[in-house]
Amino acid sequence: MNGTPVVVALSGSMRNGSYTRTALSHALDAAAERGAETELLDVREYDLPVFDPDDDEPEAATELKRKIREADTVLWGSPVYHGSYSAAFRNVHDYCGFDEYENTTVGLLASAGGGSFASTLDHMRVTARGVHAWVLPHQVGIRSARDKIEDGEITDADIAERVRKFGEQAVEYAFIHPDVTAPDAGVDEIGDTDEEAEGTQAEADADD
């Protein structure tokens, strides 16, 4: 590692007793135990207007972007609304871009009132890749969160373990720099010739 990793968590929930916020706080505790400098970024504390590229950027947005930009890992958390993430989470994300996230490690967490969270995590992953973040393979989805989190504690042992691992991996992969040209990634360092590329494509088409 290159010094002390900085891990921040962005909570995209406006609810006072947010399960998302609670889970992210526990993940940050695990990251801190591994030696990280941590901070919870709560959307309620920034009160950002709906993003409008024609308006001057609010000071609160500039400060929030700075904290995200200076972080080595950003843990995203959102409640599940209509099979996707919250508008509050999306609004913060709209203020950000490549400058904040390119080559930054991002972790994903979603909490659902019911039993479905997969599409929310998928949507978050797509938007993370859209700003060239590197997304942790380990992610956290919490079904029926009201039955698993109570009074600021995670009462489900399996979820508690996943959240702990989530925070630990935020530190473990804080300084990762994936090399897509590595031989074990299936990409030649020099690159295929045109003939080799055409042959490879023909083989792929034949398997369709």
Side-chain angles (χ1 to χ4, degrees):
M1 286 191 180
N2 306 319
T4 301
V6 176
V7 178
V8 302
L10 175 62
S11 174
S13 176
M14 299 297 292
R15 195 171 68 84
N16 286 333
S18 167
Y19 304 123
T20 302
R21 193 178 307 114
T22 296
L24 288 175
S25 295
H26 281 266
L28 289 179
D29 288 343
E33 290 175 3
R34 286 294 182 96
E37 177 184 330
T38 65
E39 182 176 359
L40 177 67
L41 306 178
D42 189 340
V43 293
R44 301 175 307 168
E45 297 177 2
Y46 291 89
D47 192 27
L48 299 180
V50 173
F51 176 71
D52 185 340
D54 290 330
D55 287 346
D56 292 335
E57 183 173 276
E59 291 184 9
T62 301
E63 175 65 8
L64 181 59
K65 288 170 62 177
R66 180 189 64 80
K67 292 182 176 182
I68 291 173
R69 186 169 57 251
E70 294 178 354
D72 299 300
T73 299
V74 183
L75 300 179
W76 285 357
S78 176
V80 175
Y81 289 164
H82 311 307
S84 192
Y85 40 67
S86 69
F89 169 81
R90 178 69 205 202
N91 193 45
V92 172
H93 195 37
D94 284 346
Y95 275 95
C96 299
F98 299 126
D99 288 343
E100 284 68 46
Y101 282 111
E102 188 156 23
N103 296 324
T104 296
T105 300
V106 167
L108 310 178
L109 179 148
S111 60
S116 178
F117 55 74
S119 57
T120 301
L121 292 172
D122 285 345
H123 297 169
M124 294 169 78
R125 183 176 296 275
V126 168
T127 59
R129 294 302 306 138
V131 289
H132 297 176
W134 186 85
V135 184
L136 285 173
H138 179 79
Q139 58 190 13
V140 178
I142 307 174
R143 293 186 176 90
S144 303
R146 66 175 61 88
D147 298 327
K148 297 178 174 66
I149 298 176
E150 185 176 354
D151 296 329
E153 297 298 328
I154 302 175
T155 56
D156 183 282
D158 290 339
I159 295 298
E161 173 60 21
R162 288 195 65 81
V163 170
R164 182 194 61 76
K165 183 178 179 181
F166 186 57
E168 291 177 345
Q169 289 200 351
V171 177
E172 182 177 353
Y173 294 101
F175 301 119
I176 191 169
H177 293 289
D179 184 357
V180 297
T181 63
D184 58 358
V187 180
D188 293 337
E189 292 186 4
I190 298 176
D192 295 331
T193 64
D194 291 341
E195 292 80 4
E196 289 172 334
E198 291 174 1
T200 301
Q201 184 60 53
E203 292 175 2
D205 292 341
D207 290 337
D208 285 349

